[in-house]
Amino acid sequence: METVILAVVIAVVVLGVLGGLVVGSRRKKSLPPPPPTVPDITAPPAEPHVGDEAETPRDEPRRTIEEVDLPDGGSTGTAVEEPPVVEVPELEIPEPTEGRLIRLRARLSRSQNALGKGLLTLLSREHLDEDTWEEIEDTLLTADVGVQPTQELVERLRERVKVLGTRTPEELRSLLREELLKLVGTDVDRTVKTEPEERKPGIVMVVGVNGTGKTTTTGKLARVLVADGRTVVLGAADTFRAAAADQLQTWGERVGAHTVRGPEAGDPASVAFDAVKEGKEMGVDVVLIDTAGRLHTKTGLMDELGKVKRVVEKHAPLDEVLLVLDATTGQNGLVQARVFAEVVNITGIVLTKLDGTAKGGIVVAVQRELGVPVKLIGLGEGADDLAPFEPEAFVDALIGD
């Protein structure tokens, strides 16, 4: 019994010693460092007041105002960006229209004098038999003069050659020039009517089939009028062809002409009406209306063209209706001309592309077909290649030097 009690006492003593050792080691590991004898007390930073700097000022070298380099002009403020300058396109000065066809004569004669030279060669033969006269007739027909005008010209040439007898080259040239001038016509008023006596503006409508150069011709006509000292408003009533209004506006901007346009695929008659209205308000001399290129086989489209004419005439009567024809189409262009003449009262003809493969005789044929004169001809792609038609200069170009 005493042995058991002794063993328990020894176990209790051993456990007590072990527990003390463990506690002592833990206290040594987590014991904080002893506090300093004099604690450091840091005051919280004071918040800056209005006008104070956020940090404590430091001693820095300072410069006087005389030592500081100021910007030129003495401005100390922040530079302000100036608004972008919109560049206004420089206006072009078109060539004067007086004598323009004479200046373009060389270009015209290069492509047209085959007719005149061919006739002179045939008429210069020593013996003019029936075969020769048939060749003369074929030459005229090939040049698109037309059947009836050709028969009239051949008959007059026969009579005059008989009376003339001996024929020198100079006499033949003079004879042929006289007869061609009669055929083309010199007693017709070919001025483009743009100056009505009792009102302003003059109103000109330009019509024609797609591809004849109608919009370009309208822009070139604006240049012709500006060159003659007129002010112009353009009406972009061709609302069905993409970029037609942009093309016309570009032509107008070159010479300072205002362009009235509407939404794409909008009502052409409405645009034409607004163009005349604005032309009146601005007090311009002429309003040019470019219409859509009508296919002459489409009855509905031709009716629309008639509507444009009626709407415009609510303001004032049209002074000119110019039909633009491609001279290279020859006799096919006459079919187009007939249909347009039935819908609107054509007062003048513009022949474009007369410097290409066109035959000079188309001038005679189209005048006979419509009973209206050719007033303008286009001789190239240049901006000033549209010229008032002058019969004498035209015939001289046909005959050549």
Side-chain angles (χ1 to χ4, degrees), residues 118-137:
L119 291 176
L120 284 174
T121 300
L122 292 171
L123 290 172
S124 298
R125 289 181 180 178
E126 186 175 354
H127 300 289
L128 296 178
D129 54 14
E130 288 301 320
D131 291 339
T132 302
W133 286 112
E134 286 184 6
E135 288 186 52
I136 292 174
E137 187 171 321

Side-chain angles (χ1 to χ4, degrees), residues 210-211 213-216 237-248 264-265 290-293:
N210 282 327
K214 182 175 46 55
T215 300
T216 300
D238 185 355
T239 60
F240 300 112
R241 184 171 66 87
D246 293 337
Q247 181 183 359
L248 189 64
E264 188 174 346
D290 176 35
T291 60

Side-chain angles (χ1 to χ4, degrees), residues 82-346:
E82 296 182 0
V85 179
V86 179
E87 293 186 3
V88 179
E90 185 177 352
L91 295 183
E92 299 178 6
I93 302 176
E95 293 183 9
T97 58
E98 184 178 357
R100 183 179 289 188
L101 184 56
I102 296 175
R103 295 196 301 273
L104 298 173
R105 177 181 168 181
R107 183 182 305 170
L108 179 63
S109 63
R110 282 197 298 269
S111 58
Q112 301 300 321
N113 61 13
L115 170 61
K117 286 185 176 180
L119 291 176
L120 284 174
T121 300
L122 292 171
L123 290 172
S124 298
R125 289 181 180 178
E126 186 175 354
H127 300 289
L128 296 178
D129 54 14
E130 288 301 320
D131 291 339
T132 302
W133 286 112
E134 286 184 6
E135 288 186 52
I136 292 174
E137 187 171 321
D138 289 341
T139 301
L140 292 168
L141 291 174
T142 304
D144 289 330
V145 173
V147 176
Q148 185 176 349
T150 294
Q151 292 174 346
E152 293 177 6
L153 179 58
V154 169
E155 187 63 29
R156 290 202 301 268
L157 287 173
R158 277 175 176 265
E159 293 177 1
R160 296 199 61 177
V161 166
K162 284 181 181 179
V163 174
L164 187 62
T166 305
R167 305 175 303 277
T168 65
E170 292 76 15
E171 290 173 333
L172 284 176
R173 183 181 300 276
S174 177
L175 181 148
L176 186 59
R177 184 178 189 275
E178 289 178 16
E179 293 301 328
L180 286 175
L181 279 175
K182 289 180 183 178
L183 206 60
V184 172
T186 57
D187 56 350
V188 181
D189 185 6
R190 300 180 185 276
T191 58
V192 179
K193 307 297 182 183
T194 56
E195 294 182 289
E197 294 181 359
E198 300 179 354
R199 60 175 171 82
K200 269 191 177 185
I203 306 172
V204 179
M205 188 165 73
V206 183
V207 302
V209 178
N210 282 327
T212 58
K214 182 175 46 55
T215 300
T216 300
T217 297
T218 305
K220 290 182 178 181
L221 178 56
R223 294 179 65 89
V224 169
L225 294 171
V226 170
D228 289 339
R230 316 281 178 79
T231 53
V232 179
V233 162
L234 298 172
D238 185 355
T239 60
F240 300 112
R241 184 171 66 87
D246 293 337
Q247 181 183 359
L248 189 64
Q249 184 169 351
T250 300
W251 278 103
E253 288 174 348
R254 292 177 180 176
V255 293
H258 174 62
T259 302
V260 177
R261 53 188 298 176
E264 188 174 346
D267 182 16
S270 176
V271 176
F273 184 87
D274 291 342
V276 178
K277 180 181 177 182
E278 291 195 29
K280 282 185 172 182
E281 293 173 352
M282 296 172 63
V284 299
D285 298 317
V286 187
V287 174
L288 297 179
I289 301 171
D290 176 35
T291 60
R294 310 296 175 181
L295 297 176
H296 64 282
T297 57
K298 302 292 185 181
T299 304
L301 294 178
M302 297 302 291
D303 291 342
E304 180 70 23
L305 182 60
K307 175 187 172 184
V308 172
K309 179 178 180 292
R310 293 190 299 272
V311 168
V312 169
E313 288 179 334
K314 290 182 179 180
H315 281 295
L318 283 167
D319 298 288
E320 285 278 6
V321 179
L322 298 176
L323 173 63
V324 180
L325 291 176
D326 183 342
T328 61
T329 60
Q331 296 294 316
N332 291 332
L334 301 183
V335 178
Q336 303 170 5
R338 294 189 197 105
V339 180
F340 277 96
E342 293 172 1
V343 178
V344 290
N345 183 27
I346 303 297

